[in-house]
Amino acid sequence: MFRGRAFGLLKSLHLMDGQPNLACKFIHPAITSHVHHCQKRNVNYRQSYKTGPSSAGGRTLNVPQTKVMAEQELPGVLILDIGGIHGVLPNIVALLQKHFRLITMKEFLENKKEMSKKIQSVFVFERRPTIDQELLESLPNLKVIANSGVGVDHLDLKMISNFGVKVTNTPHAVADTTADIGMALMLASARRLVEGCQIVISPDTKYFAVDWLGVEVTRATLGIIGMGNIGYKVAQRAKAFEMKILYHNRNQRKKEEEQAVGAHYCEKMEDLLQQSDFVMLALNLTPETCKLIGKRELGLMKPTATLINISRGAVIDQDALVEALQKKVIMAAALDVTDPEPLPRDHPLLKLNNIIITPHIGTATVQAIRMMAEEAIANMLAVLNGQPIPSEVFPK
Ligand SMILES: O=C(O)[C@H](O)CO
């Protein structure tokens, strides 16, 4: 529901649907004369530009320049249908159009023979389009699948690589925003914000805060499982809350990050689970991390502890979590991700009162979505131009 709202907001900010001349509305003023020139010549233009300080709240990524070219000369990118509630957001379309000839799924399916040869990359947004064998077989000139987002658990990396196609993701664009959601969930759960809101709007106006006391985040112990880009950003924020920070990484100790935020490495995840007041999951979903947190791990946590998940739902054994929350093995959980998404309305997790669930909104901000598109564009251009690829993902 919240995700729907977030995208509704985006749509209202950029109230446009997929008109063919959409890029005109976003074009940099400095290049308008060139646009007019192209229009006079009846050429469908695309204009090079530097992203510069964008609306991304001061955070910018360098997207390489693309030369001015007629649309038909630009590399083709397969995207979801523009517009409609499942479409790619119009502002992202505008960014992509500056570098690529966009081919919608509809266009592709209607004219497969011609379109399939033009497509050199696929832009994956919100896990779509589905990349399966059939699609890969039908795209002989495909070079790169650019995922918008860091998690690539929805892509069969081995199969894609067997087609000689590269996969990229956007680890930098998502880090701050996802870490913010981790902090928001931790604070909301600890201070019982959702219950507080419900009490305020309930017909019973006599309420006493002492009846639903929360716990403090400040100076509590936070255990981060997965100290990658996102985990580190969480640690930076936790430092400002004077938290004791523990972390566990399955493969790599991060000494520099440890020093920067004063984090302590737990070689054994069990130690972290036993000592933490808040356990935050910020790791990738892989076959090795699937159901990493099950009955045994929950049993190791303090009965006063809270489990927060900003990675993927499947890293937790959800049946075990339901039981642990019902029996108060742990105090609470706060999840931005579940398995599946959304949960069926009658799912037992939705019946508990010691849980907060948000609908996978870790990256659902105006700024993050734009930066993810910019990072994906930089990746695609690098692959197509034979340059070093900023964020390539390799099959294991
Ligand atoms: O993987 C990610 O970065 C987020 O979940 C957005 O898809």
Side-chain angles (χ1 to χ4, degrees), residues 3-4 7-8 10-12 14-19 22 79-91 93 104 106 125-126 128:
R3 171 169 264 205
F7 287 171
L10 283 170
K11 282 199 133 200
S12 58
H14 304 283
L15 265 180
M16 271 170 277
D17 244 319
Q19 304 99 330
L22 193 60
I79 61 160
L80 296 176
D81 295 343
I82 302 170
I85 73 162
H86 298 302
V88 176
L89 295 164
N91 59 336
V93 167
T104 67
K106 187 162 173 278
F125 181 72
E126 296 225 290
R128 296 184 321 118

Side-chain angles (χ1 to χ4, degrees), residues 79-381:
I79 61 160
L80 296 176
D81 295 343
I82 302 170
I85 73 162
H86 298 302
V88 176
L89 295 164
N91 59 336
I92 294 177
V93 167
L95 285 176
L96 288 161
Q97 272 181 320
K98 288 171 179 160
H99 304 273
F100 306 102
R101 148 91 161 102
L102 300 190
I103 296 162
T104 67
M105 203 43 130
K106 187 162 173 278
E107 239 181 307
F108 168 64
L109 293 174
E110 281 169 2
N111 190 357
K112 257 192 172 175
K113 203 166 166 220
E114 194 198 325
M115 291 300 160
S116 59
K117 294 196 197 91
K118 294 185 197 282
I119 294 168
Q120 296 184 34
S121 31
V122 178
F123 178 70
V124 177
F125 181 72
E126 296 225 290
R127 304 166 82 92
R128 296 184 321 118
T130 303
I131 309 295
D132 54 17
Q133 176 126 0
E134 194 190 333
L135 181 70
L136 292 167
E137 276 167 358
S138 64
L139 300 175
N141 295 323
L142 183 64
K143 310 251 174 341
V144 52
I145 290 170
N147 187 57
S148 190
V150 67
V152 289
D153 46 289
H154 53 293
L155 298 173
D156 184 337
L157 298 179
K158 272 210 182 100
M159 177 189 71
I160 297 169
S161 133
N162 288 342
F163 279 85
V165 173
K166 294 190 185 302
V167 173
T168 64
N169 67 350
T170 63
H172 306 291
V174 303
D176 281 309
T177 313
T178 311
D180 286 351
I181 271 289
M183 294 304 287
L185 285 171
M186 178 161 61
L187 287 161
S189 176
R191 303 305 300 273
R192 302 173 69 170
L193 285 196
V194 176
E195 281 168 88
C197 289
Q198 281 162 353
I199 288 168
V200 169
I201 59 174
S202 78
D204 181 5
T205 50
K206 287 196 196 106
Y207 51 84
F208 303 98
V210 284
D211 292 338
W212 43 281
L213 291 178
V215 291
E216 300 245 337
V217 165
T218 301
R219 286 183 286 279
T221 299
L222 169 66
I224 301 171
I225 301 183
M227 184 73 102
N229 284 345
I230 296 171
Y232 181 56
K233 294 282 184 178
V234 170
Q236 285 181 326
R237 285 151 176 74
K239 189 180 177 211
F241 282 79
E242 300 172 49
M243 298 185 87
K244 176 171 179 189
I245 304 164
L246 310 177
Y247 81 97
H248 171 77
N249 261 4
R250 283 164 23 86
N251 304 318
Q252 211 188 346
R253 187 169 172 175
K254 299 276 183 83
K255 290 211 171 137
E256 232 174 82
E257 285 85 345
E258 267 174 46
Q259 274 184 357
V261 292
H264 306 273
Y265 177 61
C266 293
E267 197 177 338
K268 290 191 191 141
M269 186 175 75
E270 287 74 8
D271 293 340
L272 177 149
L273 292 170
Q274 281 168 338
Q275 292 171 43
S276 301
D277 299 309
F278 298 92
V279 173
M280 176 108 50
L281 305 176
L283 69 172
N284 291 329
L285 173 62
T286 64
E288 293 78 39
T289 63
C290 188
K291 298 203 175 165
L292 182 76
I293 304 297
K295 188 173 174 150
R296 187 183 82 88
E297 290 70 26
L298 290 161
L300 290 172
M301 288 172 66
K302 295 181 186 177
T304 50
T306 298
L307 179 66
I308 300 140
N309 192 3
I310 52 172
S311 67
R312 287 291 182 266
V315 301
I316 299 178
D317 175 343
Q318 274 180 184
D319 294 339
L321 180 62
V322 169
E323 199 187 321
L325 290 170
Q326 279 168 345
K327 295 187 175 163
K328 308 272 163 58
V329 174
I330 62 169
M331 185 175 75
L335 317 174
D336 185 44
V337 285
T338 56
D339 181 28
E341 286 171 6
L343 287 173
R345 295 296 89 185
D346 59 351
H347 195 282
L349 276 181
L350 302 181
K351 298 190 169 55
L352 299 167
N353 58 13
N354 49 351
I355 192 164
I356 297 177
I357 307 182
T358 51
H360 200 148
I361 51 171
T363 54
T365 67
V366 176
Q367 292 84 353
I369 293 222
R370 181 189 170 95
M371 287 184 64
M372 281 154 71
E374 287 174 345
E375 198 169 355
I377 290 169
N379 281 325
M380 288 191 276
L381 291 176

